[in-house]
Amino acid sequence: MKKYVLNLSLLLASGTWAASVDVVSPDGRLKVVSDISDGRPVYSVSYDGKSILENSPLGIKSDIGDLSTGMSLVESRRGKVSKSFDQDKIKKSHIEYEANQLITTLKNSKGHTLDIEWLVSDNDIAFRYLIPCQGDTGAMVINEEVTGFRFPEQTTAFLTSQSDAMIGWKRTKPSYEEFYITDAPLDSASKFGQGFTFPALFRIGNDGWALLTETGVDGYYCASHLTDYKDGVFFIAYPMPEENNGNGTTAPGISLPGTTPWRTITVADNLAPIAETTIPWNVVEPRYEVKRKARPSRGTWSWIVWQDNSMNMEDQKTFIDLAADLGYEHILIDAGWDKNIGYDRMPELLGYAKSKGIRPALWYSSSGYWNDIVQSPINKMDRPIVRKKEMKWLRDNGVECIKVDFFGGDKQETMRLYEDILSDAADFGIDVIFHGCTLPRGWERMYPNHVGSEAVFASENLIFEQIFCDMEAFHATLHPFIRNSVAMMEYGGTFFNHRMGRDNNSGSIRRTGDGFQIATAVLFQNPVQNFAITPNNLTDAPADAIAFMKDVPTTWGDTKLIEGYPGKYVVLARRNGDKWYIAGVNAQKDVMKLKLDLSSLGVEPGSAVILADEKGKELKSKTLKVKNVKSVPVEILPDGGFVMIIE
């Protein structure tokens, strides 16, 4: 059920007026002030009267003129937005959204006009530019956005760098896989000098928190990121010219009237509204309908531990059997299947999966002309004619999900490729996971068959270098507040091998406990999960861990932050049906002794099952008597974790 109410009333109609107008949230705590300072549009944000963003710049520079200077306010309109919708692929299944709206119309001396639309709900701000036709001009190239974010001086930052273009594995970056800095000074330099990616988290001293991102990005615009801190401001930055091997422009071209994507700011005096926000989906709408709803599922995949040599008929059948033993729904058949097994023998493998009740998902490279990838199939997804032919083959052979990898860019041309793949796949009843990719920006709702995106230091990095295993817990405590807060995250984890090799006796050493690993199956939200369980784990992993993984869901009715701090620890609760799964992990050097307040979950005193890492990181399962839901004792070991289940 969906309800959308838009009611605009004219605030200023004629004459001369003050430049400053404001809009507040329904609860009155969050306030945006829009102003003109020496002809330059600016805005500020406060929460409970405390400054979150000081006067920050607005406006665009285009091929037809500069709409960031010499501007004056000519009109403002107010309204309200009310929406109600169901969404089964994100952290919450039913959304009620209420926001106050402000649209300001700005004009310069040449008669060029620019509208700025603001939506302000209780903890979220969304804003975008609405650009009308400029006289007879019906098209525009936006060369630069002046949009910026000026935080108070006491602010610290939690950021991950934007990579240089055309570096890394087979020249496939940027792919949103860089290290984070935490509680860092605002003027901390990005690693490559290219700024920082969305989402970006900021702590405004003791006055609050702010999470920045963008949503509603499609083939009509490029994806953006933040510059390094300069002149006291983080500015919006467009893609680098070198991305995708120089193919495509950095500046988006739009038809008029047109709009930019939404920039969003989630604001609160604590971290719960940050971890629980749904703003990326609140302000977008589905772009098309599908004949079949996307299918949430759990699956196995050989490549993550057994790597390239496992891409053969025997090993793939072994992992199909593993999926069946676990009661899972799918298997991911990764890169190289077309060469090592072959198109002529794939019907045999796909038929075997079907006989076991397992749905196959197949891997593809996105293309071959903007990177050096040789993993195949290549050149099957980048152009419509060959793509539709391949998708017909997939449909005819019972494949209902694909994983498309190695994009390496945020240009408008690349956004069109994402959208084209999704749209064509929908026509053939195929769901899509993206890997080696950009951050999805509202895509869970916009594209009904989109079921996963990586855009994070994911599980494969634990295989490649020991440093990622050493930092696994640190990264896990960040994602619920930052990366996974604004979009699904296809991580591909939950390892029970102690060493990251097929023999479980070689490769990188896992530092985290089994309780930590099952906790990440809850912490990391994605409707289609590819878990790193291997056949030997059925006998060498704790029986309680395997039993938990057989039952763990991948879709959630609600999400609540219990407590935590990014980079240190996190305890998060997700509900599936009548069960709450409370998961916690600890990245610190000392044991954490907590008394959890679970009153926000609506649970009553009774009993709970808890699986936790104990001394020696040995997983223990026990029944916990919950006498006081406001003070439930738990301990989390360093690099350890737990899951508590309450019905």
Side-chain angles (χ1 to χ4, degrees):
M1 176 181 175
K2 182 177 71 175
K3 177 178 64 175
Y4 188 85
V5 177
L6 179 60
N7 179 23
L8 289 176
S9 59
L10 192 65
L11 177 68
L12 301 170
S14 61
T16 302
W17 27 73
S20 175
V21 288
D22 63 62
V23 56
V24 299
S25 58
D27 66 3
R29 302 179 71 183
L30 180 59
K31 181 179 181 180
V32 176
V33 177
S34 176
D35 206 346
I36 302 291
S37 176
D38 295 326
R40 299 177 183 272
V42 295
Y43 72 103
S44 60
V45 175
S46 60
Y47 189 78
D48 285 342
K50 297 176 181 178
S51 177
I52 303 298
L53 284 172
E54 298 170 349
N55 268 0
S56 302
L58 294 166
I60 61 174
K61 295 181 179 180
S62 75
D63 61 336
I64 67 169
D66 185 345
L67 297 176
S68 67
T69 60
M71 306 297 288
S72 59
L73 177 70
V74 297
E75 184 178 281
S76 295
R77 293 161 285 167
R78 296 189 184 276
K80 294 183 182 295
V81 171
S82 176
K83 295 173 70 173
S84 174
F85 62 93
D86 294 327
Q87 188 71 43
D88 60 0
K89 294 188 295 181
I90 59 174
K91 65 181 79 170
K92 205 171 178 183
S93 60
H94 181 75
I95 309 295
E96 298 283 345
Y97 177 61
E98 303 284 340
N100 291 326
Q101 182 189 49
L102 173 69
I103 298 178
T104 60
T105 298
L106 311 178
K107 182 179 288 189
N108 64 18
S109 60
K110 296 181 179 179
H112 296 145
T113 59
L114 177 69
D115 291 344
I116 306 175
E117 180 179 12
W118 300 90
L119 296 179
V120 182
S121 55
D122 284 348
N123 288 103
D124 297 295
I125 298 164
F127 68 98
R128 64 178 178 176
Y129 300 111
L130 312 176
I131 309 167
C133 290
Q134 307 291 316
D136 293 330
T137 301
M140 174 185 286
V141 175
I142 302 179
N143 296 315
E144 180 185 348
E145 282 194 40
V146 182
T147 310
F149 307 88
R150 186 188 304 273
F151 289 97
E153 62 181 6
Q154 74 270 27
T155 303
T156 55
F158 300 73
L159 302 169
T160 182
S161 293
Q162 174 68 303
S163 167
D164 277 334
M166 302 300 294
I167 65 168
W169 172 252
K170 301 294 185 179
R171 298 195 301 161
T172 55
K173 289 193 176 187
S175 54
Y176 290 68
E177 298 179 63
E178 306 303 330
F179 287 110
Y180 278 85
I181 56 173
T182 57
D183 259 329
L186 290 175
D187 60 358
S188 299
S190 62
K191 179 179 178 180
F192 302 94
Q194 303 292 353
F196 302 96
T197 66
F198 287 125
L201 179 65
F202 298 88
R203 182 187 179 191
I204 298 86
N206 294 321
D207 291 343
W209 295 83
L211 180 68
L212 307 183
T213 192
E214 63 179 2
T215 190
V217 178
D218 58 17
Y220 291 99
Y221 216 80
C222 64
S224 305
H225 59 279
L226 296 176
T227 64
D228 277 66
Y229 188 71
K230 57 183 181 182
D231 301 325
V233 177
F234 291 96
F235 292 94
I236 290 288
Y238 286 160
M240 296 164 276
E242 300 84 5
E243 291 180 24
N244 289 109
N245 208 21
N247 292 287
T249 63
T250 62
I254 63 172
S255 61
L256 302 180
T259 66
T260 64
W262 294 97
R263 320 291 183 209
T264 69
I265 313 167
T266 300
V267 179
D269 57 4
N270 67 91
L271 282 163
I274 302 291
E276 298 167 16
T277 184
T278 57
I279 190 61
W281 310 286
N282 295 350
V283 295
V284 299
E285 296 293 334
R287 297 301 169 86
Y288 50 74
E289 295 182 357
V290 290
K291 297 177 181 178
R292 174 186 61 77
K293 285 186 65 177
R295 288 182 173 173
S297 62
R298 304 158 301 168
T300 62
W301 55 320
S302 67
W303 182 87
I304 187 58
V305 177
W306 289 15
Q307 294 284 284
D308 292 347
N309 290 337
S310 69
M311 202 48 55
N312 59 72
M313 184 73 76
E314 181 181 352
D315 284 348
Q316 293 312 298
K317 286 184 176 180
T318 297
F319 273 78
I320 290 170
D321 292 340
L322 175 62
D325 289 341
L326 292 166
Y328 286 178
E329 294 80 21
H330 81 266
I331 177 178
L332 171 61
I333 302 171
D334 218 289
W337 59 264
D338 62 319
K339 292 182 178 179
N340 297 345
I341 299 172
Y343 276 90
D344 57 338
R345 297 188 66 202
M346 281 300 289
E348 176 190 342
L349 181 60
L350 300 177
Y352 183 79
K354 183 178 180 180
S355 74
K356 295 285 187 174
I358 303 300
R359 299 193 300 269
L362 299 189
W363 183 98
Y364 286 86
S365 171
S366 70
S367 178
Y369 71 82
W370 49 68
N371 55 46
D372 302 323
I373 287 301
V374 295
Q375 285 81 2
S376 62
I378 62 172
N379 298 322
K380 298 287 188 181
M381 290 291 145
D382 57 313
R383 299 299 299 152
I385 294 174
V386 67
R387 182 169 58 235
K388 290 177 181 179
K389 181 180 178 181
E390 188 73 9
M391 287 181 175
K392 181 180 184 302
W393 179 87
L394 290 165
R395 182 191 63 190
D396 292 347
N397 283 277
V399 177
E400 297 181 349
C401 184
I402 58 175
K403 177 178 177 178
V404 188
D405 204 345
F406 299 124
F407 288 84
D410 280 338
K411 293 177 178 178
Q412 186 173 13
E413 176 174 299
T414 320
M415 298 302 109
R416 288 172 177 164
L417 178 61
Y418 285 114
E419 190 170 58
D420 290 347
I421 292 172
L422 287 162
S423 178
D424 283 350
D427 291 341
F428 288 88
I430 296 171
D431 297 336
V432 181
I433 299 167
F434 292 125
H435 201 75
C437 58
T438 193
L439 175 78
R441 292 156 162 89
W443 294 358
E444 297 91 330
R445 181 155 171 75
M446 293 163 63
Y447 306 119
N449 58 324
H450 178 227
V451 293
S453 283
E454 184 193 24
V456 70
F457 260 143
S459 58
E460 61 202 37
N461 291 288
L462 306 177
I463 304 290
F464 298 153
E465 293 186 54
Q466 182 62 46
I467 187 174
F468 299 108
C469 286
D470 298 342
M471 299 184 68
E472 184 184 9
F474 169 74
H475 286 131
T477 64
L478 297 173
H479 300 323
F481 302 106
I482 310 174
R483 165 64 182 86
N484 207 189
S485 178
V486 302
M488 64 173 85
M489 187 177 78
E490 202 283 293
Y491 186 85
T494 306
F495 291 86
F496 294 130
N497 273 18
H498 294 289
R499 299 290 295 269
M500 300 299 174
R502 181 167 179 161
D503 60 1
N504 201 8
N505 198 36
S506 60
S508 301
I509 301 169
R510 174 162 64 94
R511 304 297 190 192
T512 56
D514 293 330
F516 176 100
Q517 292 297 321
I518 65 171
T520 62
V522 176
L523 286 177
F524 299 163
Q525 185 271 322
N526 199 82
V528 172
Q529 293 274 30
N530 298 303
F531 293 120
I533 301 172
T534 53
N536 54 286
N537 297 150
L538 294 180
T539 54
D540 63 17
D544 288 331
I546 295 297
F548 174 83
M549 292 305 298
K550 286 183 176 181
D551 292 334
V552 67
T554 64
T555 57
W556 307 101
D558 203 359
T559 296
K560 297 285 187 182
L561 177 68
I562 305 304
E563 59 177 279
Y565 193 93
K568 297 181 179 180
Y569 78 106
V570 62
V571 181
L572 191 77
R574 299 195 193 272
R575 180 178 56 78
N576 178 272
D578 294 330
K579 287 184 180 179
W580 281 100
Y581 293 74
I582 302 145
V585 296
N586 177 17
Q588 299 175 100
K589 294 181 180 180
D590 298 320
V591 176
M592 296 204 69
K593 297 182 178 182
L594 305 174
K595 297 211 183 242
L596 304 178
D597 183 354
L598 305 183
S599 58
S600 65
L601 309 185
V603 297
E604 298 180 354
S607 61
V609 174
I610 184 168
L611 296 90
D613 288 316
E614 296 193 357
K615 189 175 181 180
K617 292 199 178 76
E618 184 179 357
L619 184 71
K620 296 291 186 181
S621 175
K622 59 185 178 182
T623 299
L624 180 69
K625 295 296 182 182
V626 179
K627 298 179 180 180
N628 180 2
V629 298
K630 292 187 175 182
S631 183
V632 181
V634 299
E635 290 188 2
I636 319 179
L637 295 184
D639 288 331
F642 76 91
V643 175
M644 184 187 303
I645 306 170
I646 301 179
E647 294 198 41

